Amino acid sequence: MKKVDLTFTRETKTLNEIFHHKDALIDFPDLPDRTITFNYQYRDNYIRFQFRTFRNFITRVDITEK
C-alpha cells in the first residue's frame, strides 16, 4: 500500500477538499479543541485518519492502518 503524507495539512478547510464531510466524526463539534476522524475500509485494510484541531487549524495528524 502506498503511504500518504497528510502531516503538512494545516487548515481544516483542506479536509473538505480531500474527504467527504458526511464521513467526518467530530468528538466535540462546539468546542475549539476537537478531533475529526475519518474511517474507511480499503480492501482488507481499515484506515483511520485523525486530525486534532484547534479552531480552524490542524495541530496533529494520526493515520492508523489495520
Side-chain angles (χ1 to χ4, degrees), residues 4-5 9 11 13-14 19 22 24 30-31 33 36 38-41 47 49 51 54-55 58 61 63-65:
V4 176
D5 186 3
T9 307
E11 296 184 56
K13 69 179 181 179
T14 306
F19 301 100
K22 289 185 179 181
D30 298 328
L31 296 178
D33 189 15
I36 302 171
F38 298 91
N39 296 304
Y40 295 105
Q41 185 169 352
I47 303 170
F49 301 90
F51 300 89
F54 184 76
R55 295 192 177 130
I58 297 171
V61 176
I63 301 172
T64 306
E65 177 186 346

Side-chain angles (χ1 to χ4, degrees), residues 39-54:
N39 296 304
Y40 295 105
Q41 185 169 352
Y42 178 72
R43 296 183 183 162
D44 293 333
N45 296 315
Y46 170 80
I47 303 170
R48 171 180 284 162
F49 301 90
Q50 283 191 320
F51 300 89
R52 298 203 189 348
T53 65
F54 184 76

Side-chain angles (χ1 to χ4, degrees), residues 22-37:
K22 289 185 179 181
D23 293 336
L25 300 170
I26 303 171
D27 59 353
F28 300 105
D30 298 328
L31 296 178
D33 189 15
R34 62 187 188 264
T35 301
I36 302 171
T37 304

Side-chain angles (χ1 to χ4, degrees), residues 2-25:
K2 293 182 180 180
K3 301 288 181 178
V4 176
D5 186 3
L6 296 171
T7 57
F8 292 104
T9 307
R10 298 289 182 238
E11 296 184 56
T12 56
K13 69 179 181 179
T14 306
L15 298 179
N16 292 331
E17 298 171 14
I18 300 172
F19 301 100
H20 194 278
H21 69 277
K22 289 185 179 181
D23 293 336
L25 300 170

